[in-house]
Amino acid sequence: MALSYRTRRRLSALILVVGLPAYIVAAVTLTGLINDRFGRLPVLAELAVYVILGFLWALPFRFVFRGIGKPDPETEMERSGDRSA
């Protein structure tokens, strides 16, 4: 299912405003549970866990975020079509 540029833009904003804070809370809770169960990890290992979790949240949403920073391709095609006429 192909999403339009406008839909992907809105969905990406929703993911960043709602989903990312929820993921951060879940990641901190998970690391807190690990600390309670096994004791505190060494600082470098804890940093590695946070870096890995920082990359993992975006992997399922790559298709949504791809091309969002660029201008709307449909508008660009309309503009280029108007110039050639």
Side-chain angles (χ1 to χ4, degrees):
M1 178 176 139
L3 297 173
S4 70
Y5 177 79
R6 192 172 190 176
T7 304
R8 286 188 302 125
R9 245 183 109 115
R10 289 180 178 169
L11 187 58
S12 66
L14 180 69
I15 289 169
L16 289 176
V17 171
V18 176
L20 184 58
Y23 182 81
I24 290 170
V25 169
V28 170
T29 303
L30 175 69
T31 55
L33 291 174
I34 291 172
N35 288 341
D36 290 343
R37 176 130 177 143
F38 301 109
R40 180 129 191 219
L41 295 173
V43 175
L44 289 177
E46 193 171 341
L47 177 67
V49 167
Y50 280 117
V51 168
I52 290 169
L53 289 174
F55 283 113
L56 285 180
W57 78 269
L59 289 179
F61 304 116
R62 282 188 335 196
F63 74 95
V64 174
F65 292 120
R66 185 165 295 159
I68 291 300
K70 298 178 183 176
D72 187 356
E74 295 170 3
T75 306
E76 289 296 318
M77 292 181 77
E78 290 172 7
R79 287 183 188 165
S80 65
D82 291 341
R83 290 181 189 163
S84 64

